[in-house]
Amino acid sequence: MSEVTTWYLETNSPAELNSKPQVAGIHIEEAKTKQWQLNRFLYQLVGAPWSWTDKLSLSEEQWAQYAESDDLRTWVALEGAAPAGYFELEKKAENTVEICYFGLAQRFIGRGLGGHLLSRAIEEAWAWGAQRVIVNTCSLDHPSALANYKARGMGVYRTEEKQ
C-alpha cells in the first residue's frame, strides 16, 4: 500500500483570495432546496475518479441528515443543464467554514473552471460569515488540486502522511 499525504489548508482574510474569472458558458447556482439525493449524485459524479469512498456506505437517513443540515450549503456549476462540478460549505465552530467537497465532473477538467469554482466557494464562505475558511486535499486527488488551493491564496497549516 502506498503512502497518502493529506494537506490541510486555510485562508484567514477575504483579501488573501486570488480570484479567477468566470468561465464563459458556466453558471454557478446554490441548491437552495435541500435534497440529499442531489448531494449523493454530485459526490459520486465528481468523486468516483478520485476514489471518494467515505460517504458511499451512508444510509439514506444518514445522507439526509448530512446534506439537509442547516449548517451545509451546496452550489452546482452548470453548463446549460449539465452539472460541471460542485462545492459544499459547512459551518463549523468559531466562525470557520469548511469547503467539505469540491470538484469537477471529468468532462469539465482541463477547461479552466476549477480556479473560478474554487474562487466562488471561498467568496461564498466569506459571505456566509466565515472568519476562517478551511479545506483539505490529498495525494489521491487530482494532481492540480493542491496547486489550485494555493493559487487561490490558501496556505497549508498541517500535513499528515499515512500508509
Side-chain angles (χ1 to χ4, degrees):
M1 179 181 259
S2 63
E3 194 168 89
V4 176
T5 303
T6 302
W7 297 276
Y8 297 84
L9 298 99
E10 68 181 348
T11 179
N12 292 292
S13 167
E16 295 174 341
L17 175 61
N18 298 315
S19 188
K20 191 126 186 216
Q22 184 171 346
V23 175
I26 301 290
H27 67 282
I28 301 169
E29 296 287 333
E30 183 176 4
K32 291 187 178 182
T33 301
K34 295 177 182 265
Q35 299 177 89
W36 63 266
Q37 297 92 336
L38 175 65
N39 293 71
R40 182 175 64 182
F41 166 78
L42 293 167
Y43 174 88
Q44 291 175 310
L45 175 70
V46 169
W50 315 112
S51 300
W52 290 2
T53 59
D54 57 321
K55 290 198 174 329
L56 291 179
S57 63
L58 294 184
S59 68
E60 291 182 355
E61 182 178 302
Q62 290 169 315
W63 266 106
Q65 184 177 11
Y66 167 75
E68 296 178 8
S69 165
D70 289 340
D71 291 328
L72 189 85
R73 295 171 68 188
T74 303
W75 280 261
V76 183
L78 300 159
E79 181 179 64
Y86 84 118
F87 63 87
E88 293 176 354
L89 300 179
E90 186 173 22
K91 199 167 260 194
K92 303 284 192 176
E94 300 174 9
N95 295 321
T96 295
V97 173
E98 180 178 5
I99 303 170
C100 298
Y101 290 96
F102 167 86
L104 300 174
Q106 267 192 306
R107 289 181 181 229
F108 293 88
I109 293 172
R111 293 178 45 187
L113 176 57
H116 175 65
L117 187 61
L118 181 55
S119 297
R120 181 70 182 272
I122 294 168
E123 290 167 353
E124 293 293 350
W126 289 121
W128 199 15
Q131 291 183 1
R132 178 180 183 230
V133 180
I134 61 173
V135 70
N136 69 69
T137 189
C138 74
S139 53
L140 299 175
D141 205 349
H142 187 279
S144 298
L146 181 61
N148 189 21
Y149 293 122
K150 288 180 173 182
R152 302 290 72 77
M154 301 188 87
V156 175
Y157 68 90
R158 186 171 93 225
T159 303
E160 289 179 0
E161 295 189 14
K162 294 182 182 177
Q163 285 288 350

